[in-house]
């Protein structure tokens, strides 16, 4: 079965640079989520989109922005990167009312800021 | 606000034996979902099992089963015939069914070690 696809899987950026992560949700899923997971932590919710509209916002820094496009793929843009932004970033998707609203995760994108 | 508590930071079990991971949660809602996710060293987040709160029957997926006690707000995961590949961080998570946009509420995780 198709899963959530994230790219790139790894990237290294310098402080103050910009990074963009891409996500392709499971086909027909109507909600996309972005999570950030630091070392030894549980995933922290950043932002979500329902049918291409922002639906919920968590602890996303103002330096970060995200959007969902007409083809349902989503991008997380991170600017003025800081060392503390180094983390594993998950994209996830779900279908409202489907499979108990289960959220399925991609394999994650590792961001290292140096 | 809902909370999820995993009181066991680390558990170890001998290969082929059975282990139970604990999870308790707090909510005032009556309709919700509970999940166990597994995160192996690769850090991929993998769904293990799902339980709908309105279902009294405990969910089962092959060697994985849950003991869902709604009144006690307890949701433990039992892993039978433990295998080396089960070694991972296990997260218990809660999701409201009363708003489809609610995100997951996570426990702190339990690190499971499998002894060969």
């Amino acid at each position: 079965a198709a899963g959530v696809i994230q790219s790139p899987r790894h990237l290294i950026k310098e402080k103050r640079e910009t990074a963009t992560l891409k996500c392709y949700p499971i086909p027909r899923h109507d909600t996309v989520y972005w999570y950030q997971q630091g070392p030894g932590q549980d995933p922290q919710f950043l932002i979500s989109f329902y049918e291409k509209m922002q639906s919920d916002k968590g602890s996303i820094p103002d330096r970060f922005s995200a959007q969902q496009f007409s083809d349902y793929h989503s991008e997380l843009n991170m600017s003025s990167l800081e060392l503390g932004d180094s983390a594993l970033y998950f994209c996830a998707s779900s279908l409202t009312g489907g499979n108990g609203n289960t959220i399925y995760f991609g394999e994650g994108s590792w961001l290292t800021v140096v | 606000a809902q909370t999820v508590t995993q009181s066991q930071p680390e558990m170890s079990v001998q290969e082929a034996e059975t282990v139970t991971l604990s999870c308790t949660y707090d909510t005032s809602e009556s309709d919700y979902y509970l999940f166990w996710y597994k995160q192996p060293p690769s850090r991929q987040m993998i769904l293990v099992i799902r339980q709908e709160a309105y279902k009294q029957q405990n969910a089962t997926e092959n060697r994985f089963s849950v003991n869902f006690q709604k009144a006690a707000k307890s949701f433990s995961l039992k892993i039978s015939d433990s295998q080396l590949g089960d070694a991972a961080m296990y997260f218990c998570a809660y999701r409201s069914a009363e708003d489809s946009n609610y995100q997951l509420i996570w426990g702190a995780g339990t690190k499971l070690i499998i002894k060969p």
Side-chain angles (χ1 to χ4, degrees), chain A residues 69-111:
Chain A
F69 295 85
S70 58
D71 65 352
Y72 286 86
H73 94 272
S74 178
E75 294 183 4
L76 177 66
N77 297 294
M78 300 173 285
S79 61
S80 302
L81 287 170
E82 302 173 356
L83 295 178
D85 296 328
S86 296
L88 179 60
Y89 289 83
F90 284 109
C91 177
S93 72
S94 68
L95 174 64
T96 302
N99 282 338
N101 287 326
T102 300
I103 297 178
Y104 295 93
F105 287 77
E107 294 187 331
S109 293
W110 285 93
L111 170 65

Side-chain angles (χ1 to χ4, degrees), chain A residues 52-77:
Chain A
K52 296 166 278 186
M53 299 289 290
Q54 182 181 311
S55 56
D56 203 359
K57 201 169 182 180
S59 52
I60 185 169
D62 292 340
R63 299 177 288 107
F64 292 10
S65 64
Q67 57 182 327
Q68 188 176 24
F69 295 85
S70 58
D71 65 352
Y72 286 86
H73 94 272
S74 178
E75 294 183 4
L76 177 66
N77 297 294

Side-chain angles (χ1 to χ4, degrees), chain B residues 60-100:
Chain B
T60 299
E61 287 288 343
N62 300 313
R63 297 183 296 106
F64 298 87
S65 61
V66 298
N67 184 3
F68 173 48
Q69 301 290 327
K70 191 172 184 179
K73 295 180 183 174
S74 171
F75 182 61
S76 60
L77 174 69
K78 185 172 83 171
I79 305 174
S80 303
D81 186 25
S82 298
Q83 300 176 0
L84 294 177
D86 295 334
M89 183 72 83
Y90 285 80
F91 290 98
C92 178
Y94 170 104
R95 188 178 190 198
S96 171
E98 298 177 5
D99 184 329
S100 61

Side-chain angles (χ1 to χ4, degrees), chain A residues 31 33 35 37-39 41-43 45 48 50 55-56 88 90 94 96 99-107 110, chain B residues 33 35 37 39 41-47 50 52 89 91 95-97 99-104 106-109:
Chain A
T31 306
Y33 312 80
Y35 285 84
Q37 187 180 30
Q41 297 179 359
D42 59 275
F45 171 71
S48 63
Y50 172 71
S55 56
D56 203 359
L88 179 60
F90 284 109
S94 68
T96 302
N99 282 338
N101 287 326
T102 300
I103 297 178
Y104 295 93
F105 287 77
E107 294 187 331
W110 285 93
Chain B
Y33 304 98
F35 305 91
Y37 285 91
Q39 190 172 38
S42 65
R43 299 292 298 276
Q44 186 176 359
M45 191 66 76
I46 303 166
L47 174 70
R50 171 184 64 242
E52 289 90 341
M89 183 72 83
F91 290 98
R95 188 178 190 198
S96 171
D99 184 329
S100 61
N101 291 328
Y102 278 1
Q103 65 271 23
L104 292 164
W106 299 88

